Amino acid sequence: MSILILSGCSTVGSTEGTGQQDSKNDQKLIVVMKSDVTNLDPHFIVDITTANVLYEKVYETLIIPDEDMKPQPHLAVEWNQLDDITWEFKLREGVKFHDGTPFTADAVKKTFDRLLDPKVGSPQASKLGMIKEVEVKDDYNVIFHLTKPYAPLLSILASNEGSIMNPTMLESTPELLQKEANGTGPFMFEEWKSGQYVKLKANPDYWGKPVKVSGVEFRVVPEDTTRLGMIERGEAHIMSQIPVNEIQRIESSDTMKLLRNEGLGVEFVGFNVQKAPVDNLLVRQAISHAIDREAILSGVFNDVGFLGNSTMSSKVFGYSNQLVPYPNDPEKAKELLKEAGYEDGLKLTLLTADRAERISLAEVVQSQLKVIGVEVEIRVLEYGSYIDANTNQEGHLFNGSWGNATGDGDYNQYNLFHSNSQGSAGNYQYYSNAEVDRLLDEARVEKDDEKRKEIYARTQKIELDEAAYVPIRSYENLAVYHSSVIGMKMSPVSYFILSDVEIVK
């Protein structure tokens, strides 16, 4: 039996600290963001903006990913896989929630009991549905009993979905969790004024290395140019969601710095493979040959990101560099359309969300497909309406994207291509292949990492061969910060890592 035991301290906030703030850095960090948080309850957070405010800042997880998305100890100092469906975790001692409640096994059990309670209705429950029960062995040891083997367990426990919550609040005031946050992290929740800001302050009693700023204020500033101007003038310190057409301005500025790293997300053009005429493989192959991915990367995205070859970035476990998408070949595309019986052309509908870059992508695809006789109607929708339209199978094509909160291929492959995930779970292609389903189920229980990689290489090749989508790019995370800021980092998930951030004059 394979046994895994890890111990020690995590790579982020891992050193025991005095809890005292250095007075020379008694300054507040100002982060400007495009949109407001939705709610502060990790069991109901489904957007990255909100998670970025709380994840590993206010709330912490048993496991934490390092820069390569490898699991490291955090609130759990070691773990041991007892058998295929049983995992034991030894918890860190001496940790307290921000209201003084001790962190013990009781907090872990109550967190997952509540998450999995169907009466609570957490949208995260399906992602952790393999957990049958969390057993308290003693105050600092818990045992996770699973319903079936699940190889990526550590990766999902290290994501925002695995945030450990305050048992006192879970029992006494659970209704307040959407408005008030109370975790074990290096920052404490101070105030949320809807539509304006969320304020955090340094935790003076943090179990790990103390942060170097007195607090963080996340301000809501919807206009891109306004946020960027605030950074340039030093009125704010950090922002994300950078318009790609502003990169040259940032790089030529004396007061702004640009952080770029390869992310876990991907962008693609998806087909609803159940909707005629794109239910015809020859039609999908023709469109795949007609789309010039290189031109889109440079023309639409200003070479931000990396040319994709699948629905995984190279940072995700299971990525294969052996996959070869359909090459751009308009003449071959015309031949395939003729073979499919559409020599005189056809009309299709493409759904896109209303972000400027997505609209530009849709317009370029429209132009490229016109060359081969395919007329594309673009429907630009507000994001919620875009999701509804895809769920209702209203389009033939859609501008798709998929983030990855865990760094594991299961998060991509199962959600995007398994028959069980059709619709709002992620599979807007309405793709279904019995062999792919079998392999993805097999990957979830396979303990050998190399075998899992081989399985994902096979599923990705089948999906490409069947032209379920056209890969465009893997994301490059962007953040801009003022030159007075040092120690700024961003995870592959695009979360800000603020543990070492300082403001210097």
Side-chain angles (χ1 to χ4, degrees), residues 12-29 56-58 60 98 184-188 200-216 486-487 496-503:
V12 180
S14 58
T15 307
E16 295 295 332
T18 63
Q20 300 299 313
Q21 293 297 310
D22 187 337
S23 60
K24 71 178 181 179
N25 285 317
D26 188 21
Q27 295 175 293
K28 179 172 287 188
L29 189 71
E56 302 301 349
K57 301 172 187 70
V58 176
E60 297 183 296
H98 298 152
T184 59
F187 291 98
M188 304 169 68
L200 310 179
K201 60 184 178 181
N203 177 6
D205 299 313
Y206 184 52
W207 61 266
K209 181 173 65 175
V211 294
K212 299 177 180 180
V213 293
S214 61
V216 186
I486 61 173
F496 294 146
I497 300 173
L498 304 179
S499 52
D500 292 318
V501 166
E502 295 181 69
I503 305 168

Side-chain angles (χ1 to χ4, degrees), residues 6 8 23 35 54 58 74 103 166 207 220 224 284 309 362 477 484:
L6 297 177
S23 60
S35 55
L54 299 178
V58 176
H74 204 48
F103 165 71
N166 188 320
W207 61 266
V220 180
D224 292 338
R284 299 197 302 272
N309 71 346
N477 296 324
S484 63

Side-chain angles (χ1 to χ4, degrees), residues 312-359:
M312 289 195 202
S313 87
S314 66
K315 287 279 190 180
V316 174
F317 175 90
Y319 168 81
S320 171
N321 61 8
Q322 301 301 308
L323 300 167
V324 181
Y326 291 90
N328 179 229
D329 188 341
E331 294 307 313
K332 177 67 173 177
K334 292 176 183 178
E335 292 175 11
L336 288 166
L337 279 184
K338 181 178 180 180
E339 186 180 347
Y342 295 98
E343 184 176 6
D344 296 328
L346 70 162
K347 296 182 179 181
L348 303 175
T349 300
L350 187 154
L351 306 176
T352 185
D354 57 1
R355 279 176 44 199
E357 291 163 9
R358 291 290 177 81
I359 296 171

